Amino acid sequence: MPLSKQRAGAPRVSPSVEAFLDESGHVGVLTTLRPDGTPHTAPVRFTWDKTAGLVRVMTVASSRKARNLLAGPGGRVAICQVQGFAWVTLEGFGTVVREPGRVAEGAERYAERYLSAPPNPPGRVVIEIEVDRVLTLNT
């Protein structure tokens, strides 16, 4: 797997937040904005790349979340992982990526976190979120 490069402005998170985001089995809730400005919220599996400051979500280009970002490239998105009364929200700019190497990296990171490969349907893409804000409670 290629090593991610440090992105300028990538947020730093505490070791406890890092551990929370690395635990296998957790899902997050991803919020994107539809073209009419209303929120679309969906549970997703995701990975956090602390070096690059990126969240990666595997999906297909025809999904509502991907279509929302394709309709408004670079739109703001948020993903929140909750466990009891502890949560972390990661916010940033989202992009739908089709480049095979980056999709493969997303799939590999997914397999590492969730201990199984992600689905591989036709049209698979990765949503990359360049995180610039981290909000936490009890982590």
Side-chain angles (χ1 to χ4, degrees), residues 27-30 41-45 65:
V27 297
V29 178
L30 177 70
T41 302
V44 296
R45 288 182 164 191
K65 56 190 155 288

Side-chain angles (χ1 to χ4, degrees), residues 27 29 56 73 80 103 107 122 129 137:
V27 297
V29 178
R56 292 180 178 90
C80 183
V103 173
I129 304 166
L137 180 70

Side-chain angles (χ1 to χ4, degrees), residues 1-138:
M1 167 177 35
L3 294 175
S4 296
K5 295 180 181 175
Q6 180 70 37
R7 182 174 54 83
R12 301 276 182 215
V13 298
S14 70
S16 63
V17 168
E18 186 68 33
F20 184 74
L21 292 171
D22 282 345
E23 290 177 14
S24 65
H26 289 287
V27 297
V29 178
L30 177 70
T31 301
T32 59
L33 296 178
R34 294 181 183 96
D36 68 2
T38 59
H40 168 73
T41 302
V44 296
R45 288 182 164 191
F46 73 98
T47 61
W48 164 243
D49 179 346
K50 69 178 177 182
T51 302
L54 288 176
V55 166
R56 292 180 178 90
V57 176
M58 303 304 299
T59 190
V60 292
S62 61
S63 70
R64 176 79 266 168
K65 56 190 155 288
R67 290 190 335 238
N68 288 343
L69 289 170
L70 290 167
R76 297 288 297 174
V77 298
I79 189 162
C80 183
Q81 178 177 295
V82 178
Q83 174 81 24
F85 291 106
W87 55 262
V88 174
T89 297
L90 305 167
E91 297 179 8
F93 295 97
T95 305
V96 175
V97 178
R98 300 172 195 263
E99 193 273 310
R102 287 166 59 189
V103 173
E105 182 173 2
E108 190 169 328
R109 289 177 180 274
Y110 176 108
E112 287 174 10
R113 181 171 190 200
Y114 294 103
L115 309 176
S116 67
N120 189 13
R124 183 166 77 168
V125 297
V126 61
I127 293 174
E128 292 183 346
I129 304 166
E130 293 185 18
V131 175
D132 58 20
R133 181 178 295 153
V134 179
L135 306 164
T136 68
L137 180 70
N138 297 327

